[in-house]
């Protein structure tokens, strides 16, 4: 709490009721912006939360989000559901009413607007699958 301001944001999001009182002594970091509709499971980690926006339906266990990531709603549909053990690298965009499966890696700068199956690595704009279940592939989403 004292040394990691980004942790404070997640902590304050979870406790809601006492946020104001605690934030007088330990102010939250201005980033990341966190707004999750349903739940955040344990182990959410922000590596350099600078310029990071997270607006999702839910986030699974042990999710790792790097800097300058945008996770959010699009203008017509809902927000994403992020699975367990997901790593989203710097500058990636995950937008819309989509599901990111379990054990997924979203590469730096990727633009994901379609569902991603479990155990995949996606890169590029538009995102494509480059690894599925440990095997190198080149598939469209």
């Amino acid at each position: 709490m004292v040394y990691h301001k980004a942790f404070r944001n997640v902590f304050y999001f979870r406790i809601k009721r006492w946020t104001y009182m605690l934030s007088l002594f330990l102010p939250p970091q201005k980033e990341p912006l966190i707004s999750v509709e349903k739940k955040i499971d344990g182990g959410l980690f922000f590596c350099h939360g600078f310029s990071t926006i997270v607006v999702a339906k839910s986030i699974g266990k042990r999710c790792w989000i790097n800097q300058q990531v945008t996770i959010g709603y699009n203008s017509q549909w809902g927000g994403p559901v992020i699975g367990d053990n997901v790593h989203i690298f710097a500058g990636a965009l995950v937008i819309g009413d989509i599901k990111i499966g379990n054990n997924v890696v979203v590469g730096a700068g990727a633009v994901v607007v379609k569902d991603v199956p479990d155990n995949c690595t996606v890169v590029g704009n538009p995102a494509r699958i480059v690894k599925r279940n440990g095997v190198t592939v080149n598939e469209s989403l």
Side-chain angles (χ1 to χ4, degrees):
M1 287 284 293
V2 174
Y3 301 109
H4 301 286
K5 289 183 180 180
F7 172 77
R8 290 181 208 163
N9 289 39
V10 176
F11 180 75
Y12 291 157
F13 177 82
R14 288 181 187 263
I15 65 166
K16 291 178 179 117
R17 177 181 251 189
W18 301 101
T19 299
Y20 177 73
M21 185 69 76
L22 286 172
S23 66
L24 292 173
F25 303 104
L26 295 169
Q29 183 174 344
K30 292 181 178 158
E31 294 95 10
L33 168 73
I34 302 169
S35 177
V36 177
E37 187 178 315
K38 294 182 182 173
K39 67 176 179 169
I40 298 175
D41 284 336
L44 175 61
F45 177 71
F46 288 95
C47 184
H48 311 296
F50 171 75
S51 192
T52 299
I53 299 170
V54 178
V55 182
K57 287 182 184 171
S58 66
I59 297 177
K61 298 174 187 161
R62 294 174 299 282
C63 183
W64 174 305
I65 300 173
N66 281 72
Q67 69 273 16
Q68 298 179 328
V69 167
T70 298
I71 299 171
Y73 287 66
N74 65 15
S75 61
Q76 299 173 340
W77 312 103
V81 173
I82 309 294
D84 296 338
N85 303 311
V86 173
H87 191 151
I88 303 174
F89 281 94
L93 303 174
V94 179
I95 306 293
D97 188 16
I98 62 175
K99 182 177 187 311
I100 305 298
N102 298 323
N103 308 309
V104 168
V105 175
V106 178
V111 178
V112 183
V113 294
K114 295 182 181 177
D115 291 347
V116 178
D118 292 346
N119 307 309
C120 288
T121 299
V122 295
V123 300
N125 179 8
R128 67 186 187 288
I129 300 171
V130 294
K131 191 177 275 189
R132 183 190 291 263
N133 296 320
V135 177
T136 300
V137 296
N138 188 7
E139 303 173 10
S140 299
L141 283 178

